[in-house]
Amino acid sequence: MQEHLIPSSPSTPTRIRRRRTQEVIFPELSKVDEQNKYRSMWIRTYSSLWMVISIIIILYLGHLYICAMVVVIQIIMTFELFNLLRRPDEDRCLPGFRLLNWYFFFTGMLFVYGRILSQQLVNTATSDEFSYKLVGKVIKYQMVFCYFLYISGLVWFILTLKKKTYKYQFGQYAWTHMILFVVFTQSSFTVANIFEGIFWFLLPASLIAMNDVAAYFFGFFFGKTPLIKLSPKKTWEGFIGASIATVITAFLFANVLGRFQWLTCPRKDLSTGWLECDPGPLFKPEYYSIAGWPQWFPLKEISILPVQWHALCLGLFASIIAPFGGFFASGFKRAFKIKDFGYYIPGHGGFTDRMDCQMVMAIFVYIYYQSFVPQDYSVEMILDQIVRNLSFEDQKALYYRLGQIFRQRQLENN
């Protein structure tokens, strides 16, 4: 039997060498592997279909429901990561210690979302003077309140310290804070993007999903060259094919999404009604004539939304940089010798397995939007902020100051 083995040089990847050997010696095993391969693909496809349907329904419901979905995913991800280093034997000796981890989690949630949604809370409470003043006080002292909640948790942690478990307890304390940093950073930027317009949540998330699906199928049918050792199933063919498909999808899909006001209007309060707004410059089509094309070609001009050029940048990041979030997660799982973070999504693993690239993408979109996307500040929006946030005396001071500026400019023009 030894003569049937295929010789290989030291540079040949071990995985490919084993597969070739198996195909020669055990052809029946190769058929089983092929069947399992297609079975896994169909399970993954069905799960993806159900996820897409669920997300479409939630998107139809609006901003608050999307944020609620993000919070639920955030809680599940935290649960998966908490369990990664959990030791049941030590936990039985520390009653209430697991509850302490969740105490820090909800304290962090109160702080982060209180800061993100402060303006939306104020705008929602303006209809009633008492509610407006109450919300203003809560927002003003929210940081102090959260700080004392955290200090109370720290005291609670110190009081639970026991001999022979110090290392485990401090390890859990550090692990909890790392989870809070990673999960809350991602979710807070995601929620901020949602309130700027569902477009800035839906397009990046779709590009990550598109890149993942395209990489899977290009790698499935054409993959031969391994890409990175951390993810043996990833191939250069899948990576390059998915990158091209993602960039093209970003440009075309942005044109489709950018034509729906429901997706492009920012949400300034916590209401749930449908939105109507004047599309900003990014979502107003610009027309380009098609000169030199054959006479029989039906289109004489094409319309492009300015936001499509920004979408190209998002597509490039989603296809080239964001996958490294997945590689990081793969290395993390290898360090802990696990296949998946969870088991909630058949064929995909846990929610953390699906959100690894989304975390990287959400932060980039927020930074890109704040840095490179022109902000549309209308006169009505500025006046609304002045009325809501400035006292009567400050408003008078602003009025006199603006009068001085106008008179000075009038003299300069004359």
Side-chain angles (χ1 to χ4, degrees):
M1 186 176 292
Q2 187 69 24
E3 62 183 5
H4 294 289
L5 295 178
I6 298 177
S8 59
S9 63
S11 61
T12 304
T14 304
R15 181 172 60 89
I16 298 177
R17 190 166 64 243
R18 290 176 179 174
R19 185 178 63 189
R20 291 174 177 172
T21 304
Q22 187 184 74
E23 290 174 353
V24 174
I25 303 177
F26 306 111
E28 65 279 2
L29 292 181
S30 300
K31 294 180 181 179
V32 173
D33 289 342
E34 193 72 15
Q35 292 175 354
N36 291 334
K37 182 180 179 181
Y38 279 96
R39 181 174 178 272
S40 175
M41 183 188 71
W42 283 114
I43 292 175
R44 190 181 179 98
T45 302
Y46 287 137
S47 298
S48 300
L49 181 62
W50 280 110
M51 284 192 292
V52 169
I53 294 173
S54 301
I55 291 174
I56 289 175
I57 295 173
I58 295 173
L59 289 173
Y60 177 81
L61 295 175
H63 297 71
L64 290 184
Y65 293 92
I66 301 173
C67 293
M69 177 189 68
V70 172
V71 172
V72 171
I73 292 175
Q74 177 186 26
I75 293 174
I76 297 175
M77 289 174 59
T78 303
F79 179 78
E80 292 174 348
L81 293 172
F82 276 165
N83 287 337
L84 196 58
L85 291 183
R86 184 178 180 182
R87 297 178 185 173
D89 294 337
E90 281 82 352
D91 285 344
R92 280 193 289 267
C93 300
L94 301 168
F97 185 71
R98 183 60 49 184
L99 180 63
L100 178 61
N101 292 340
W102 287 105
Y103 175 87
F104 281 120
F105 173 82
F106 287 106
T107 299
M109 178 179 288
L110 182 63
F111 174 76
V112 171
Y113 288 110
R115 305 298 293 179
I116 294 174
L117 303 178
S118 59
Q119 190 58 52
Q120 283 77 14
L121 286 169
V122 171
N123 294 341
T124 305
T126 51
S127 58
D128 181 69
E129 184 176 355
F130 174 77
S131 300
Y132 179 77
K133 291 182 178 179
L134 178 62
V135 170
K137 291 292 184 182
V138 171
I139 293 174
K140 182 178 181 180
Y141 298 108
Q142 180 249 357
M143 186 179 294
V144 176
F145 180 69
C146 291
Y147 173 76
F148 280 104
L149 282 179
Y150 178 81
I151 292 299
S152 300
L154 179 63
V155 173
W156 181 2
F157 168 75
I158 294 173
L159 293 177
T160 60
L161 290 174
K162 288 186 178 182
K163 291 183 178 179
K164 298 182 180 180
T165 60
Y166 290 154
K167 185 176 181 180
Y168 175 72
Q169 287 181 277
F170 277 100
Q172 286 289 307
Y173 182 82
W175 179 240
T176 298
H177 283 67
M178 194 198 81
I179 293 173
L180 297 184
F181 174 76
V182 172
V183 175
F184 276 121
T185 300
Q186 175 266 336
S187 60
S188 61
F189 285 119
T190 301
V191 171
N193 294 336
I194 292 170
F195 277 93
E196 294 295 345
I198 299 177
F199 176 93
W200 299 105
F201 162 78
L202 180 58
L203 179 65
S206 301
L207 295 181
I208 292 295
M210 172 63 194
N211 184 261
D212 185 57
V213 172
Y216 180 79
F217 279 98
F218 274 101
F220 185 88
F221 291 105
F222 306 105
K224 294 181 180 179
T225 311
L227 174 64
I228 187 170
K229 293 182 179 179
L230 287 174
S231 297
K233 294 182 180 180
K234 303 291 184 181
T235 62
W236 274 106
E237 291 80 4
F239 182 81
I240 295 173
S243 298
I244 297 173
T246 302
V247 172
I248 295 175
T249 301
F251 188 78
L252 299 178
F253 200 38
N255 188 289
V256 176
L257 298 181
R259 298 180 184 273
F260 294 93
Q261 290 188 14
W262 173 241
L263 299 177
T264 60
C265 293
R267 173 68 74 180
K268 299 301 181 182
D269 54 26
L270 299 180
S271 60
T272 57
W274 282 71
L275 290 175
E276 292 183 3
C277 63
D278 181 29
L282 285 177
F283 301 102
K284 293 181 178 179
E286 298 177 349
Y287 296 92
Y288 299 87
S289 61
I290 305 177
W293 284 60
Q295 294 293 330
W296 54 264
F297 193 74
L299 295 178
K300 302 304 178 184
E301 63 179 10
I302 59 173
S303 63
I304 295 178
L305 303 180
V307 76
Q308 290 181 252
W309 307 116
H310 295 286
L312 286 177
C313 298
L314 301 184
L316 285 172
F317 187 90
S319 58
I320 298 176
I321 305 299
F324 282 86
F327 300 152
F328 177 86
S330 297
F332 199 83
K333 288 185 286 188
R334 283 179 173 272
F336 287 91
K337 298 179 180 180
I338 58 174
K339 183 178 183 294
D340 296 308
F341 286 103
Y343 50 85
Y344 296 102
I345 310 175
H348 294 269
F351 279 87
T352 308
D353 296 280
R354 292 297 88 211
M355 297 301 294
D356 45 15
C357 299
Q358 295 284 1
M359 290 190 290
V360 179
M361 190 69 188
I363 299 172
F364 172 76
V365 172
Y366 179 83
I367 295 174
Y368 183 89
Y369 181 86
Q370 298 297 329
S371 302
F372 301 106
V373 177
Q375 305 299 312
D376 184 23
Y377 295 107
S378 64
V379 175
E380 290 76 12
M381 185 185 303
I382 296 174
L383 287 175
D384 182 68
Q385 295 298 319
I386 291 173
V387 172
R388 295 179 191 275
N389 298 314
L390 294 183
S391 65
F392 181 69
E393 295 298 327
D394 291 335
Q395 291 176 21
K396 287 201 316 184
L398 178 63
Y399 172 77
Y400 290 125
R401 180 58 181 154
L402 286 174
Q404 293 175 358
I405 294 174
F406 293 151
R407 287 190 293 271
Q408 182 179 356
R409 289 189 177 181
Q410 189 175 11
L411 291 174
E412 292 175 354
N413 292 334
N414 293 334

